[in-house]
Amino acid sequence: MKAHIETDKQGRKKTFNACDEPCAIERGMRIIGGKWTGSVLWHLKDNPVRFNDLSRMIGGASKKMLSERLKHLEEHGLIERRVLDTRPVGVAYSMTEKGQTALAFLDELRIWTESIDPSHKTVGPTEHAAQREPRP
């Protein structure tokens, strides 16, 4: 059903076929729309990544926020957590098959964002370092 609004003769508006529950887009945004969630998925696309390495890759996120995002993604089956048999004990995260399904539209989102905001193209670590302002 398609929601629409009609105006009566007195100028009052009435909505027809309104969504009673969140639509598929809203439900999807609740899963992957959280701050840093897309970045976490993107950094896990190729290989498993240890928590501290992931924290370094996503420089703007606190460890607490990163931990919350990882738990959220794990609860939804998009990533898996594996405890490593190392000293000290380490944890690595990797993408599940279900999580891999999000990569196509995350890449499309990246391309779209770069097309509407070319001043913030995706750059690698070397370019990031060159763009930083020198310390006084």
Side-chain angles (χ1 to χ4, degrees):
M1 290 190 286
K2 187 173 182 179
H4 66 280
I5 298 172
E6 293 180 8
T7 306
D8 66 14
K9 293 178 183 176
Q10 289 82 23
R12 296 177 296 214
K13 294 184 177 186
K14 180 157 174 116
T15 304
F16 294 91
N17 299 326
C19 298
D20 293 329
E21 60 184 57
C23 66
I25 301 248
E26 180 60 30
R27 290 191 317 267
M29 291 303 294
R30 289 178 184 182
I31 295 171
I32 62 150
K35 190 169 185 180
W36 305 110
T37 304
S39 295
V40 169
L41 288 172
W42 193 254
H43 287 294
L44 295 177
K45 69 181 172 45
D46 296 321
N47 298 307
V49 180
R50 294 173 66 122
F51 179 83
N52 284 331
D53 292 338
L54 190 57
S55 179
R56 288 181 190 99
M57 291 175 179
I58 305 174
S62 68
K63 289 188 176 189
K64 179 183 181 221
M65 175 62 75
L66 180 58
S67 179
E68 289 173 7
R69 294 294 102 209
L70 289 165
K71 286 177 187 171
H72 173 80
L73 290 168
E74 188 179 13
E75 287 170 2
H76 287 280
L78 300 178
I79 64 170
E80 63 184 14
R81 178 182 187 267
R82 187 171 48 101
V83 177
L84 304 173
D85 189 22
T86 59
R87 294 285 178 231
V89 174
V91 177
Y93 293 89
S94 59
M95 182 91 60
T96 62
E97 283 186 36
K98 186 177 178 181
Q100 292 280 342
T101 63
L103 292 177
F105 66 82
L106 285 175
D107 193 40
E108 288 297 320
L109 177 62
R110 179 191 59 79
I111 292 166
W112 175 78
T113 303
E114 290 175 351
S115 74
I116 65 162
D117 189 5
S119 66
H120 288 91
K121 288 219 181 242
T122 305
V123 294
T126 308
E127 291 87 352
H128 274 303
Q131 291 174 357
R132 286 189 207 125
E133 294 191 20
R135 291 184 177 182

